[in-house]
């Protein structure tokens, strides 16, 4: 996955959707065509006084003046290989009211950590602007959306987001920065289980054996390791509309050429801004 020819391919086509293609989607070319079709469609609808931006993801929900009442329709707006990530669609809305993260084994109701470990689908929103300095990695359970729209939410200054062996995650509209390593301690990952975590990489968003993942409209900067890393059999991922700055190893898709399962990795990288102060892996 880390071949240099692929890296060059990425570098030369920053603005167009980019696909890494192999199974498990039987015909990845169809996915590519569908992405181009949706972009063409959005561009065709551009016009004087139209709300359209030409970006099919944004036009899908921003043109709805009532988007705040219809938050879950965001789940239908992804394009590319992560398109089927439904996140917490059809689940309850959970409002984060408490920015603390004092107890990572028995998190308090109202905190972000309490929400993401639940077994049921949840659409997680924020009561107000907040800075959440996590004490340990935020280990997500399946079928969750973290929806930062309408508030200024920073996940910063501590360990950040870990998506490990779970599916159907949408992360939208968060500022993720200054992420640190965590670990050497117990962290809860579901209502019925917590486990010992070794030292973490210190990524902004770490996807490990995860599938049906969509990371959209986040700003990411200045983390200890990667801003967004997808490894160990992760696939069916879309990374779109993100703003990345001030960072060394930006994005890693597959950590080792000898990890053959990652030959199947399918990721769409579209409409991201690779901004100032980035050094390498855009992506690798
Ligand atoms: C999208 O538009 C471009 C330029 O007009 C065209 O070449 C391409 O065939 C279109 N693709 C699809 C899938 O509609």
């Amino acid at each position: 996955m880390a071949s240099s020819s692929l890296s060059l391919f990425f570098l030369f086509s920053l603005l167009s959707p980019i696909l890494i293609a192999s199974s498990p989607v039987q015909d990845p070319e169809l996915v590519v065509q569908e992405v181009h079709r949706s972009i063409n469609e959005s561009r065709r609808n551009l016009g004087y006084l139209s709300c359209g931006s030409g970006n099919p993801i944004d036009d899908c929900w921003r043109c709805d003046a009532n988007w705040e009442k219809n938050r879950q329709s965001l789940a239908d707006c992804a394009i590319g290989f992560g398109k089927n990530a439904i996140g917490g669609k059809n689940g309850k809305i959970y409002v984060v009211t408490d920015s603390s993260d004092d107890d990572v084994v028995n998190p308090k109701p109202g905190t972000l950590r309490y929400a993401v470990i639940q077994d049921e689908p949840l659409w997680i929103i924020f009561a107000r602007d907040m800075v959440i300095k996590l004490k340990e990695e935020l280990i997500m359970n399946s079928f969750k959306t973290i929806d930062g729209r309408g508030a200024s939410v920073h996940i910063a200054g501590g360990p950040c987001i870990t998506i490990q062996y779970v599916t159907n995650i949408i992360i939208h509209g968060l500022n993720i920065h200054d992420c640190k390593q965590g670990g050497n301690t117990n962290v809860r990952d579901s209502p019925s289980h917590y486990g010992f975590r070794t030292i973490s990489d210190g990524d902004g968003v770490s996807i490990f054996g995860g599938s049906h993942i969509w990371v959209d409209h986040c700003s990411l900067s200045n983390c200890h390791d990667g801003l967004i890393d997808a490894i160990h059999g992760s696939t069916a991922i879309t990374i779109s509309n993100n703003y990345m700055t001030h960072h060394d190893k930006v994005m890693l898709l597959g950590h080792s050429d000898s990890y053959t399962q990652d030959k199947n990795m399918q990721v769409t990288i579209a409409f991201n801004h690779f901004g100032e102060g980035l050094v390498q892996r855009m992506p690798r």
Side-chain angles (χ1 to χ4, degrees):
M1 202 72 289
S3 84
S4 57
S5 59
L6 260 180
S7 306
L8 283 175
F9 177 45
F10 280 108
L11 285 174
F12 285 129
S13 34
L14 287 184
L15 246 186
S16 47
I18 296 158
L19 303 125
I20 294 177
S22 56
S23 61
V25 167
Q26 289 304 319
D27 192 347
E29 270 308 313
L30 281 182
V31 178
V32 179
Q33 270 174 32
E34 173 59 24
V35 166
H36 283 284
R37 197 203 51 75
S38 68
I39 294 171
N40 283 0
E41 170 90 16
S42 262
R43 293 200 173 140
R44 244 195 320 276
N45 292 336
L46 280 178
Y48 187 58
L49 292 183
S50 94
C51 82
S53 64
N55 177 321
I57 301 167
D58 293 351
D59 292 353
C60 170
W61 65 271
R62 287 193 185 188
C63 293
D64 176 5
N66 260 332
W67 66 266
E68 214 163 345
K69 298 254 170 338
N70 303 318
R71 280 179 179 271
Q72 297 195 357
S73 53
L74 176 68
D76 304 323
C77 295
I79 59 175
F81 288 115
K83 184 181 172 58
N84 295 328
I86 64 170
K89 194 182 175 193
N90 303 322
K92 289 186 198 133
I93 301 270
Y94 174 107
V95 183
V96 177
T97 53
D98 181 339
S99 63
S100 75
D101 188 36
D102 298 329
D103 188 338
V104 298
V105 174
N106 293 298
K108 256 191 295 185
T111 59
L112 177 58
R113 188 177 300 280
Y114 184 86
V116 301
I117 61 163
Q118 299 303 315
D119 288 327
E120 63 184 305
L122 287 175
W123 196 277
I124 301 161
I125 66 174
F126 297 84
R128 55 188 154 77
D129 298 351
M130 55 181 81
V131 178
I132 299 177
K133 182 176 175 182
L134 295 166
K135 213 167 146 187
E136 294 296 335
E137 292 166 272
L138 189 74
I139 305 183
M140 298 196 62
N141 204 340
S142 297
F143 296 100
K144 301 291 174 293
T145 299
I146 306 182
D147 177 359
R149 289 176 295 173
S152 169
V153 179
H154 293 254
I155 311 269
C160 290
I161 299 175
T162 296
I163 298 171
Q164 183 170 330
Y165 297 130
V166 295
T167 71
N168 288 283
I169 302 288
I170 298 173
I171 313 258
H172 181 103
L174 301 181
N175 303 287
I176 301 166
H177 57 95
D178 299 284
C179 300
K180 312 275 189 253
Q181 292 181 292
N184 256 340
T185 188
N186 287 314
V187 182
R188 184 167 294 278
D189 53 24
S190 79
S192 57
H193 179 264
Y194 65 87
F196 188 79
R197 303 291 299 177
T198 54
I199 301 286
S200 65
D201 288 348
D203 295 335
V205 178
S206 166
I207 308 172
F208 190 103
S211 59
H212 301 292
I213 315 291
W214 181 30
V215 181
D216 186 55
H217 268 292
C218 291
S219 79
L220 300 116
S221 63
N222 199 33
C223 294
H224 184 264
D225 190 29
L227 290 181
I228 304 179
D229 283 5
I231 63 170
H232 264 269
S234 298
T235 192
I237 298 168
T238 293
I239 299 171
S240 55
N241 289 321
N242 300 291
Y243 186 67
M244 289 163 281
T245 55
H246 302 290
H247 190 78
D248 180 7
K249 299 170 184 173
V250 179
M251 200 185 287
L252 181 67
L253 306 176
H255 68 298
S256 161
D257 285 346
S258 62
Y259 192 81
T260 53
Q261 207 186 331
D262 280 344
K263 289 193 197 306
N264 290 331
M265 185 182 286
Q266 295 180 320
V267 183
T268 298
I269 313 278
F271 298 113
N272 298 285
H273 183 84
F274 292 86
E276 64 185 88
L278 299 179
V279 180
Q280 57 176 321
R281 301 189 179 174
M282 294 182 256
R284 191 192 87 181

Short mmCIF file of all heavy atoms in Angstrom, two decimals, residues 10-44:
data_model
loop_
_atom_site.label_atom_id
_atom_site.label_comp_id
_atom_site.label_asym_id
_atom_site.label_seq_id
_atom_site.Cartn_x
_atom_site.Cartn_y
_atom_site.Cartn_z
N PHE A 10 -1.38 10.19 -5.92
CA PHE A 10 -2.11 11.08 -5.02
C PHE A 10 -1.67 12.53 -5.20
O PHE A 10 -2.47 13.42 -5.30
CB PHE A 10 -1.87 10.68 -3.57
CG PHE A 10 -2.70 9.52 -3.15
CD1 PHE A 10 -2.13 8.29 -2.94
CD2 PHE A 10 -4.05 9.68 -2.97
CE1 PHE A 10 -2.91 7.22 -2.55
CE2 PHE A 10 -4.82 8.62 -2.58
CZ PHE A 10 -4.26 7.38 -2.37
N LEU A 11 -0.37 12.73 -5.30
CA LEU A 11 0.13 14.09 -5.34
C LEU A 11 -0.35 14.83 -6.58
O LEU A 11 -0.58 16.02 -6.55
CB LEU A 11 1.66 14.07 -5.31
CG LEU A 11 2.22 13.76 -3.93
CD1 LEU A 11 3.72 13.60 -3.97
CD2 LEU A 11 1.85 14.88 -2.96
N PHE A 12 -0.50 14.10 -7.68
CA PHE A 12 -0.85 14.76 -8.91
C PHE A 12 -2.34 15.02 -9.05
O PHE A 12 -2.78 15.60 -10.02
CB PHE A 12 -0.36 13.96 -10.11
CG PHE A 12 1.12 14.08 -10.29
CD1 PHE A 12 1.91 12.97 -10.43
CD2 PHE A 12 1.70 15.34 -10.30
CE1 PHE A 12 3.28 13.09 -10.58
CE2 PHE A 12 3.08 15.46 -10.45
CZ PHE A 12 3.87 14.34 -10.59
N SER A 13 -3.12 14.57 -8.12
CA SER A 13 -4.56 14.74 -8.31
C SER A 13 -5.24 15.10 -7.01
O SER A 13 -6.19 14.49 -6.59
CB SER A 13 -5.16 13.47 -8.91
OG SER A 13 -4.50 12.35 -8.42
N LEU A 14 -4.73 16.16 -6.37
CA LEU A 14 -5.22 16.51 -5.04
C LEU A 14 -6.69 16.88 -5.03
O LEU A 14 -7.38 16.66 -4.05
CB LEU A 14 -4.40 17.68 -4.48
CG LEU A 14 -3.00 17.26 -4.05
CD1 LEU A 14 -2.29 18.43 -3.41
CD2 LEU A 14 -3.07 16.11 -3.07
N LEU A 15 -7.17 17.48 -6.09
CA LEU A 15 -8.55 17.97 -6.03
C LEU A 15 -9.57 16.96 -6.52
O LEU A 15 -10.75 17.08 -6.25
CB LEU A 15 -8.68 19.27 -6.82
CG LEU A 15 -8.99 20.47 -5.93
CD1 LEU A 15 -9.25 21.70 -6.76
CD2 LEU A 15 -10.16 20.20 -4.98
N SER A 16 -9.13 15.99 -7.26
CA SER A 16 -10.12 15.03 -7.73
C SER A 16 -10.19 13.86 -6.76
O SER A 16 -9.25 13.58 -6.04
CB SER A 16 -9.79 14.56 -9.13
OG SER A 16 -8.44 14.21 -9.19
N PRO A 17 -11.30 13.19 -6.72
CA PRO A 17 -11.45 12.06 -5.81
C PRO A 17 -10.45 10.97 -6.23
O PRO A 17 -10.24 10.75 -7.42
CB PRO A 17 -12.87 11.57 -6.05
CG PRO A 17 -13.51 12.60 -6.88
CD PRO A 17 -12.45 13.37 -7.57
N ILE A 18 -9.88 10.35 -5.27
CA ILE A 18 -8.83 9.39 -5.55
C ILE A 18 -9.21 8.07 -4.93
O ILE A 18 -9.69 8.00 -3.82
CB ILE A 18 -7.52 9.89 -4.94
CG1 ILE A 18 -7.13 11.17 -5.64
CG2 ILE A 18 -6.44 8.86 -5.10
CD1 ILE A 18 -6.21 12.01 -4.83
N LEU A 19 -8.97 7.03 -5.64
CA LEU A 19 -9.42 5.73 -5.15
C LEU A 19 -8.29 4.73 -5.18
O LEU A 19 -7.52 4.68 -6.09
CB LEU A 19 -10.57 5.27 -6.03
CG LEU A 19 -11.68 6.32 -6.01
CD1 LEU A 19 -12.04 6.75 -7.41
CD2 LEU A 19 -12.88 5.84 -5.27
N ILE A 20 -8.25 3.97 -4.13
CA ILE A 20 -7.32 2.86 -4.10
C ILE A 20 -8.19 1.64 -4.30
O ILE A 20 -9.07 1.37 -3.53
CB ILE A 20 -6.63 2.77 -2.75
CG1 ILE A 20 -5.75 3.99 -2.58
CG2 ILE A 20 -5.81 1.52 -2.68
CD1 ILE A 20 -5.08 4.02 -1.26
N ALA A 21 -7.94 0.92 -5.37
CA ALA A 21 -8.94 -0.04 -5.80
C ALA A 21 -8.44 -1.46 -5.76
O ALA A 21 -7.37 -1.77 -6.25
CB ALA A 21 -9.41 0.32 -7.19
N SER A 22 -9.23 -2.32 -5.18
CA SER A 22 -9.08 -3.77 -5.28
C SER A 22 -10.30 -4.33 -4.60
O SER A 22 -11.19 -3.59 -4.23
CB SER A 22 -7.79 -4.23 -4.60
OG SER A 22 -7.77 -3.80 -3.27
N SER A 23 -10.41 -5.66 -4.41
CA SER A 23 -11.57 -6.14 -3.68
C SER A 23 -11.55 -5.49 -2.30
O SER A 23 -10.53 -4.95 -1.93
CB SER A 23 -11.55 -7.66 -3.60
OG SER A 23 -10.39 -8.05 -2.93
N PRO A 24 -12.59 -5.49 -1.48
CA PRO A 24 -13.77 -6.32 -1.58
C PRO A 24 -14.90 -5.74 -2.46
O PRO A 24 -15.79 -6.51 -2.81
CB PRO A 24 -14.26 -6.44 -0.14
CG PRO A 24 -13.72 -5.27 0.56
CD PRO A 24 -12.51 -4.83 -0.19
N VAL A 25 -14.92 -4.44 -2.79
CA VAL A 25 -15.95 -4.01 -3.73
C VAL A 25 -15.60 -4.64 -5.06
O VAL A 25 -14.49 -4.49 -5.57
CB VAL A 25 -16.00 -2.47 -3.85
CG1 VAL A 25 -16.85 -2.06 -5.04
CG2 VAL A 25 -16.54 -1.85 -2.59
N GLN A 26 -16.56 -5.39 -5.64
CA GLN A 26 -16.25 -6.19 -6.82
C GLN A 26 -15.81 -5.33 -7.98
O GLN A 26 -14.87 -5.65 -8.69
CB GLN A 26 -17.48 -7.02 -7.23
CG GLN A 26 -17.77 -8.15 -6.27
CD GLN A 26 -16.57 -9.08 -6.10
OE1 GLN A 26 -15.89 -9.39 -7.06
NE2 GLN A 26 -16.29 -9.48 -4.86
N ASP A 27 -16.49 -4.21 -8.19
CA ASP A 27 -16.16 -3.38 -9.33
C ASP A 27 -15.87 -1.95 -8.87
O ASP A 27 -16.73 -1.08 -8.91
CB ASP A 27 -17.32 -3.40 -10.33
CG ASP A 27 -16.89 -2.79 -11.65
OD1 ASP A 27 -15.82 -2.15 -11.68
OD2 ASP A 27 -17.62 -2.95 -12.63
N PRO A 28 -14.65 -1.72 -8.41
CA PRO A 28 -14.31 -0.38 -7.89
C PRO A 28 -14.48 0.71 -8.93
O PRO A 28 -14.77 1.86 -8.57
CB PRO A 28 -12.85 -0.51 -7.47
CG PRO A 28 -12.35 -1.77 -8.04
CD PRO A 28 -13.53 -2.65 -8.30
N GLU A 29 -14.35 0.39 -10.21
CA GLU A 29 -14.53 1.40 -11.24
C GLU A 29 -15.93 2.01 -11.20
O GLU A 29 -16.12 3.18 -11.49
CB GLU A 29 -14.25 0.82 -12.63
CG GLU A 29 -12.80 0.94 -13.07
CD GLU A 29 -12.26 2.37 -12.95
OE1 GLU A 29 -12.95 3.32 -13.39
OE2 GLU A 29 -11.17 2.53 -12.38
N LEU A 30 -16.90 1.18 -10.83
CA LEU A 30 -18.27 1.69 -10.72
C LEU A 30 -18.36 2.74 -9.62
O LEU A 30 -19.09 3.72 -9.74
CB LEU A 30 -19.25 0.54 -10.41
CG LEU A 30 -19.68 -0.33 -11.59
CD1 LEU A 30 -20.67 -1.38 -11.12
CD2 LEU A 30 -20.28 0.53 -12.69
N VAL A 31 -17.62 2.51 -8.52
CA VAL A 31 -17.61 3.47 -7.42
C VAL A 31 -16.99 4.78 -7.89
O VAL A 31 -17.50 5.87 -7.62
CB VAL A 31 -16.84 2.90 -6.20
CG1 VAL A 31 -16.79 3.91 -5.06
CG2 VAL A 31 -17.47 1.60 -5.73
N VAL A 32 -15.93 4.67 -8.66
CA VAL A 32 -15.26 5.87 -9.19
C VAL A 32 -16.22 6.66 -10.09
O VAL A 32 -16.36 7.88 -9.97
CB VAL A 32 -14.00 5.48 -10.00
CG1 VAL A 32 -13.33 6.72 -10.58
CG2 VAL A 32 -13.03 4.70 -9.14
N GLN A 33 -16.89 5.92 -10.97
CA GLN A 33 -17.82 6.58 -11.90
C GLN A 33 -18.95 7.28 -11.15
O GLN A 33 -19.36 8.39 -11.51
CB GLN A 33 -18.44 5.55 -12.84
CG GLN A 33 -17.64 5.35 -14.11
CD GLN A 33 -18.22 4.21 -14.93
OE1 GLN A 33 -19.43 3.98 -14.91
NE2 GLN A 33 -17.35 3.50 -15.64
N GLU A 34 -19.44 6.62 -10.10
CA GLU A 34 -20.52 7.20 -9.30
C GLU A 34 -20.05 8.50 -8.62
O GLU A 34 -20.80 9.48 -8.55
CB GLU A 34 -20.98 6.15 -8.26
CG GLU A 34 -21.99 6.62 -7.24
CD GLU A 34 -23.28 7.14 -7.85
OE1 GLU A 34 -23.62 6.73 -8.98
OE2 GLU A 34 -23.95 7.97 -7.19
N VAL A 35 -18.82 8.51 -8.14
CA VAL A 35 -18.26 9.73 -7.54
C VAL A 35 -18.23 10.85 -8.59
O VAL A 35 -18.68 11.97 -8.34
CB VAL A 35 -16.85 9.47 -6.98
CG1 VAL A 35 -16.14 10.79 -6.68
CG2 VAL A 35 -16.93 8.62 -5.72
N HIS A 36 -17.73 10.53 -9.78
CA HIS A 36 -17.65 11.55 -10.83
C HIS A 36 -19.03 12.02 -11.26
O HIS A 36 -19.25 13.20 -11.52
CB HIS A 36 -16.85 11.03 -12.02
CG HIS A 36 -15.38 11.04 -11.75
ND1 HIS A 36 -14.64 12.20 -11.77
CD2 HIS A 36 -14.53 10.05 -11.40
CE1 HIS A 36 -13.38 11.91 -11.46
NE2 HIS A 36 -13.29 10.62 -11.21
N ARG A 37 -19.97 11.08 -11.30
CA ARG A 37 -21.32 11.44 -11.69
C ARG A 37 -21.91 12.43 -10.68
O ARG A 37 -22.52 13.43 -11.04
CB ARG A 37 -22.20 10.17 -11.77
CG ARG A 37 -23.50 10.35 -12.54
CD ARG A 37 -24.54 9.33 -12.14
NE ARG A 37 -24.73 9.27 -10.68
CZ ARG A 37 -25.38 10.19 -9.97
NH1 ARG A 37 -25.93 11.24 -10.56
NH2 ARG A 37 -25.49 10.07 -8.65
N SER A 38 -21.68 12.17 -9.37
CA SER A 38 -22.26 13.06 -8.35
C SER A 38 -21.60 14.43 -8.39
O SER A 38 -22.25 15.45 -8.15
CB SER A 38 -22.18 12.43 -6.96
OG SER A 38 -20.85 12.34 -6.53
N ILE A 39 -20.31 14.47 -8.71
CA ILE A 39 -19.63 15.77 -8.82
C ILE A 39 -20.17 16.52 -10.03
O ILE A 39 -20.50 17.71 -9.95
CB ILE A 39 -18.10 15.58 -8.92
CG1 ILE A 39 -17.56 15.00 -7.61
CG2 ILE A 39 -17.42 16.92 -9.24
CD1 ILE A 39 -16.11 14.59 -7.66
N ASN A 40 -20.30 15.83 -11.14
CA ASN A 40 -20.86 16.46 -12.35
C ASN A 40 -22.24 17.03 -12.08
O ASN A 40 -22.56 18.15 -12.47
CB ASN A 40 -20.95 15.45 -13.49
CG ASN A 40 -19.59 15.18 -14.13
OD1 ASN A 40 -18.59 15.75 -13.71
ND2 ASN A 40 -19.58 14.33 -15.14
N GLU A 41 -23.03 16.26 -11.40
CA GLU A 41 -24.41 16.64 -11.08
C GLU A 41 -24.43 17.92 -10.24
O GLU A 41 -25.17 18.86 -10.51
CB GLU A 41 -25.05 15.47 -10.32
CG GLU A 41 -26.39 15.75 -9.69
CD GLU A 41 -27.54 15.43 -10.63
OE1 GLU A 41 -27.28 14.73 -11.62
OE2 GLU A 41 -28.66 15.89 -10.36
N SER A 42 -23.57 17.98 -9.21
CA SER A 42 -23.51 19.16 -8.35
C SER A 42 -23.06 20.38 -9.14
O SER A 42 -23.54 21.49 -8.94
CB SER A 42 -22.54 18.95 -7.20
OG SER A 42 -23.23 18.56 -6.06
N ARG A 43 -22.09 20.17 -10.03
CA ARG A 43 -21.57 21.32 -10.80
C ARG A 43 -22.63 21.82 -11.77
O ARG A 43 -22.75 23.03 -11.99
CB ARG A 43 -20.29 20.92 -11.55
CG ARG A 43 -19.18 20.64 -10.55
CD ARG A 43 -17.79 20.70 -11.14
NE ARG A 43 -16.82 20.59 -10.04
CZ ARG A 43 -15.71 19.89 -10.10
NH1 ARG A 43 -15.38 19.24 -11.20
NH2 ARG A 43 -14.91 19.85 -9.06
N ARG A 44 -23.40 20.90 -12.33
CA ARG A 44 -24.46 21.30 -13.25
C ARG A 44 -25.50 22.18 -12.56
O ARG A 44 -26.09 23.05 -13.17
CB ARG A 44 -25.15 20.06 -13.84
CG ARG A 44 -24.97 19.90 -15.34
CD ARG A 44 -25.91 18.91 -15.97
NE ARG A 44 -26.14 17.70 -15.20
CZ ARG A 44 -25.34 16.63 -15.23
NH1 ARG A 44 -24.27 16.61 -15.98
NH2 ARG A 44 -25.63 15.57 -14.50
#
